[in-house]
Amino acid sequence: TARRLWLIYVVLTILEFGMLYFLGGMGLFDSVNYSLTTLSSGGFTTSDSGIMGFDSARVEVILIVFMLLTCINFSLLHLMLAGRTKEVLKDEELRTYILILIVAWLAMSFNLYRFGTTDEADLAPLVALRQALFQSISISSTGYASADFATWPVFSQFVLLLLMIVGASAGSTGGGLKVMRIRIAFELAKREVVKIIQPRRVVAIRFNQQVIEERKIWIVLGMLSSWMVLVTASILTISFLEPSLELIDVFSISISLLGNTGPALGAFGPTATWATLSEPSMVIATMLMWLGRLELLTVLVLLHPRTWARSD
């Protein structure tokens, strides 16, 4: 299984390189860099202008396809290549993720078309659709920017912030809390409401037609709780160390770091850098990125003193 997943990863990287170089018109250096940082959701660009510097619909379409693939559970890609497409289409996490993307895309497109940006009062419908589609997928994976979304209306920025939190699918290279955990938390909340109305009713939480054990549900809740505590602590710490920042700056920085998004909002949008942060804030940011990139509970267990205590 590991060999097959690695093979899928390598083949997709080579395929993206070829499409960017031969179809997208990118140079050799850019094609290599963008293919490597797309599949890993790294999001590094070769210039300060990023994807905006190319201003190419073909480049954006190619990146959209491969960013979407990185946000899908790689096991599903394996099943798809094995010809088990029906199982893939029935996956509840995939269907939920696609639904979230479509709703976010259409909502932001309408918002951009209706109100424009602070740089452009009016956006053509196709431009609004194009920019919103790219960012709705990118914000939970690479963090590439085809437009300066820090100038977008407040509603669109709030949608992007929610997408940062939700993230991509479990088993993908994308960041965030993962759609599966959000879905299980939603089902748990729905179950508790039903139990209040009908106390004697036994309601099992199911995912992909399988009953989820209570132990696994508590692990999900522990993950969500730990994430909330870390976000709160990082917001308080960064706001104390950086008193000149605005509320949206501090809040989006914390979300972006734990979600491994890359750019944030406000003064730390896609056209800005993080170089203005003080050294203590940089250290905290480094730790938060590390925690966000790995499984949070695993790292917290690793850092717990009892993990390293001698057992006699």
Side-chain angles (χ1 to χ4, degrees):
T1 302
R3 285 198 300 268
R4 288 174 179 174
L5 292 178
W6 270 109
L7 181 62
I8 292 172
Y9 188 93
V10 172
V11 169
L12 288 177
T13 302
I14 296 173
L15 182 61
E16 183 184 3
F17 161 75
M19 294 182 70
L20 289 175
Y21 184 71
F22 293 105
L23 300 179
M26 274 191 182
L28 180 63
F29 179 76
D30 289 334
S31 299
V32 170
N33 277 273
Y34 280 100
S35 59
L36 290 176
T37 63
T38 300
L39 267 297
S40 63
S41 295
F44 290 103
T45 59
T46 55
S47 66
D48 291 339
S49 56
I51 305 302
M52 292 179 279
F54 297 103
D55 193 23
S56 170
R58 284 184 297 175
V59 169
E60 292 177 21
V61 169
I62 294 171
L63 291 177
I64 283 173
V65 171
F66 285 93
M67 285 191 299
L68 185 60
L69 290 175
T70 65
C71 291
I72 295 174
N73 193 321
F74 270 53
S75 299
L76 296 182
L77 298 180
H78 169 60
L79 291 177
M80 189 177 296
L81 292 176
R84 299 160 65 179
T85 309
K86 290 184 178 180
E87 293 183 40
V88 175
L89 296 177
K90 290 180 180 179
D91 186 78
E92 293 183 14
E93 184 181 29
L94 175 62
R95 293 164 68 177
T96 303
Y97 177 62
I98 297 299
L99 177 62
I100 290 172
L101 286 182
I102 292 174
V103 172
W105 170 39
L106 295 178
M108 288 191 295
S109 298
F110 177 77
N111 188 238
L112 287 172
Y113 171 68
R114 179 69 177 80
F115 298 103
T117 67
T118 56
D119 293 335
E120 298 180 68
D122 296 314
L123 282 179
L126 290 179
V127 174
L129 286 168
R130 171 180 161 185
Q131 292 184 2
L133 177 61
F134 189 92
Q135 290 309 144
S136 61
I137 298 176
S138 170
I139 207 68
S140 58
S141 58
T142 61
Y144 291 148
S146 63
D148 185 7
F149 51 78
T151 64
W152 286 9
V154 175
F155 174 81
S156 293
Q157 292 191 45
F158 184 69
V159 173
L160 290 175
L161 198 64
L162 291 177
L163 290 175
M164 288 184 197
I165 296 172
V166 173
S169 302
S172 71
T173 61
L177 283 172
K178 308 298 186 186
V179 175
M180 181 180 66
R181 295 191 180 106
I182 300 294
R183 177 68 185 266
I184 291 175
F186 175 78
E187 293 295 330
L188 179 61
K190 187 169 69 173
R191 184 184 74 172
E192 295 306 309
V193 171
V194 172
K195 288 177 68 176
I196 292 174
I197 298 173
Q198 298 175 305
R200 296 184 179 181
R201 183 177 176 180
V202 177
V203 182
I205 295 180
R206 298 177 182 272
F207 194 82
N208 286 335
Q209 307 302 319
Q210 294 182 352
V211 176
I212 302 177
E213 300 175 10
E214 288 293 322
R215 180 182 61 85
K216 294 182 178 180
I217 294 175
W218 281 109
I219 292 176
V220 171
L221 290 179
M223 174 68 183
L224 297 178
S225 302
S226 302
W227 191 88
M228 289 294 296
V229 170
L230 276 175
V231 167
T232 304
S234 62
I235 289 173
L236 292 173
T237 305
I238 293 175
S239 60
F240 178 78
L241 295 174
E242 308 289 339
S244 61
L245 296 183
E246 300 290 336
L247 177 62
I248 185 63
D249 299 335
V250 177
F251 191 70
S252 63
I253 283 174
S254 302
I255 300 297
S256 176
L257 289 171
L258 280 175
N260 288 132
T261 301
L265 301 175
F268 295 86
T271 59
T273 69
W274 297 59
T276 56
L277 289 177
S278 62
E279 290 186 4
S281 297
M282 285 290 190
V283 173
I284 293 171
T286 303
M287 294 176 63
L288 290 173
M289 284 190 292
W290 180 63
L291 287 166
R293 192 62 175 174
L294 303 174
E295 280 296 326
L296 195 54
L297 287 181
T298 305
V299 177
L300 294 178
V301 168
L302 180 67
L303 297 177
H304 199 283
R306 290 192 177 182
T307 303
W308 306 98
R310 293 182 59 183
S311 57
D312 297 327

